[in-house]
Amino acid sequence: MAMYAAILFSETLLLKRSEVAKLLTIEQCIPAVEQAFKLYFQGEAPTPVVLGIHAQNGGFHIKAGIMNLGRNYFVAKTNANFPENNKKNGLPTIQGIISVFDADNGRLLALMDSIEITLLRTGAATAVAAKWLAKGNAGTMTICGCGHQGEISLRAVMKVRRIEKVFVFDIDQLKAAQFAHDLSKELNISIQPVDHLNHALKQSDICITCTPSRKYFLLSEYIIPGTFIAAVGADSEDKQELDPSLVSGNKLITDITTQCAAFGELHHAIDRGYMKRSDEYAELGEIVAGKKPGRTSEEEIIIFDSTGTALQDIVSAAIVYEKALAKNGGMKLNFSE
């Protein structure tokens, strides 16, 4: 009996992407990510760590952290990011795995595909930021990048804001047109593909950038007073979407300042001499926790530098793991055999 219990105790849950997708929704992810930012600011989680390694055609990063969510979890996500995959070999741009451990005894609880969690938790962070930082009457949005992250971003922001009109931009114009065609019908809102950003942004209250761009394309002169910008694409030091003068000239909110200074839009502003690390206004957790006000006027331009944190991965993976246990889902494997 004792041996049987030991075997059960050492089993690890394995979850494919399709299984993760069934267990995690954006509705669950948004409040979980919001709580993660708040807990981090309150000192209830240590600063997560990031390791990035470049490869010839892309790169790898590992994001890891610990957080007590009733159960004490250590989560490490290893993601590969190869932007040319779809054109060259049909593979996804992002591939990876999340490891979930019991942080009190080191037991490996689960291994799960990372793609769905990465998409949802990133969209959730954008929604949390839009909830706290966009104008109260924000109803028009521009999305730059019409891939999966653009779609999730739209769905997520619609959970916290009454969006009525959306402009979409992509260097692949057919992709933008398909995005608009499919989602305008499903979501019952006006979605219009555009060839140039200037006209769209002059009408937008919210702008989301989620592209793999390595050269900034969002210029200061495009942006009107009162705009909220969520800059999502710069998740490594060689990726950039925003003009550094746009970043430095307006209120900047980071997810975690140390990360943003290392490889976010803040990094590029620092590198060009426009800003110092201390010039950021606040981390998002400070806003959520009520330590600092978010928007203080309808005219100010606010930028959220979203590099993506392990804190978001922890709360999302914990939801998936706990729901899988409750539903007896996934496959079980004993690695110690």
Side-chain angles (χ1 to χ4, degrees), residues 6-294:
I7 291 173
L8 284 178
F9 189 75
S10 62
E11 284 183 336
T12 299
L13 197 60
L14 307 181
L15 294 160
K16 299 182 294 184
R17 181 180 180 181
S18 59
E19 294 170 313
V20 173
K22 292 176 183 177
L23 294 167
L24 183 65
T25 67
I26 195 63
E27 291 85 357
Q28 295 168 314
C29 208
I30 291 171
V33 166
E34 185 174 48
Q35 181 70 357
F37 282 120
K38 184 177 181 180
L39 290 174
Y40 175 67
F41 169 71
Q42 293 173 336
E44 297 184 38
T47 300
V49 298
V50 181
L51 171 66
I53 298 177
H54 290 287
Q56 184 175 350
N57 299 310
F60 298 86
H61 69 245
I62 299 171
K63 293 182 175 178
I66 289 179
M67 183 177 287
N68 195 317
L69 302 169
R71 183 172 195 163
N72 204 14
Y73 288 105
F74 169 81
V75 169
K77 181 176 75 176
T78 303
N79 263 10
N81 190 322
F82 284 71
E84 298 300 315
N85 264 1
N86 194 47
K87 296 177 184 177
K88 291 183 176 180
N89 50 38
L91 291 171
T93 297
I94 296 174
Q95 303 167 86
I97 194 164
I98 292 177
S99 308
V100 181
F101 291 81
D102 187 320
D104 289 328
N105 57 36
R107 184 165 76 91
L108 178 60
L109 302 174
L111 295 173
M112 58 187 73
D113 182 86
S114 72
I115 296 177
E116 206 70 24
I117 285 177
T118 299
L119 290 169
L120 286 170
R121 63 76 147 153
T122 304
T126 298
V128 172
K131 171 185 171 180
W132 288 91
L133 302 173
K135 293 190 300 184
N137 63 350
T140 302
M141 180 163 65
T142 292
I143 297 175
C144 306
C146 294
H148 294 302
Q149 194 63 65
E151 178 182 341
I152 292 297
S153 297
L154 172 58
R155 294 181 186 276
V157 172
M158 287 185 68
K159 299 298 179 183
V160 300
R161 292 290 180 173
R162 191 182 296 275
I163 302 299
E164 298 175 349
K165 186 172 186 178
V166 179
F167 298 102
V168 291
F169 172 82
D170 198 287
I171 56 173
D172 184 341
Q173 294 180 10
L174 292 177
K175 198 171 184 179
Q178 191 66 50
F179 183 105
H181 176 269
D182 293 346
L183 290 179
S184 59
K185 288 185 176 180
E186 179 186 341
L187 301 176
N188 195 30
I189 58 172
S190 171
I191 304 179
Q192 179 183 334
V194 294
D195 297 338
H196 302 284
L197 282 173
N198 194 11
H199 177 69
L201 289 170
K202 293 299 184 187
Q203 304 176 61
S204 295
D205 309 301
I206 296 172
C207 174
I208 301 170
T209 60
C210 42
T211 75
S213 177
R214 282 169 165 72
K215 180 176 175 56
Y216 67 80
F217 57 86
L218 205 67
L219 306 180
S220 298
E221 56 262 35
Y222 293 171
I223 307 302
I224 60 174
T227 303
F228 164 67
I229 301 168
V232 177
D235 56 3
S236 64
E237 66 272 16
D238 61 337
K239 294 167 73 174
Q240 182 181 19
E241 298 176 307
L242 275 57
D243 182 343
S245 67
L246 173 62
V247 177
S248 64
N250 296 289
K251 181 182 281 187
L252 179 68
I253 315 294
T254 63
D255 50 14
I256 292 182
T257 300
T258 52
Q259 283 192 191
C260 294
F263 54 83
E265 296 295 344
L266 176 58
H267 157 74
H268 293 290
I270 293 171
D271 193 51
R272 292 283 298 273
Y274 285 89
M275 297 179 75
K276 303 186 297 293
R277 174 176 157 172
S278 58
D279 288 338
E280 115 293 354
Y281 172 73
E283 292 184 334
L284 185 58
E286 293 180 77
I287 309 295
V288 173
K291 177 67 173 179
K292 286 186 177 180

Side-chain angles (χ1 to χ4, degrees), residues 306-321:
S306 178
T307 54
T309 78
L311 305 174
Q312 298 160 242
D313 297 319
I314 295 169
V315 293
S316 303
I319 291 171
V320 172
Y321 172 67

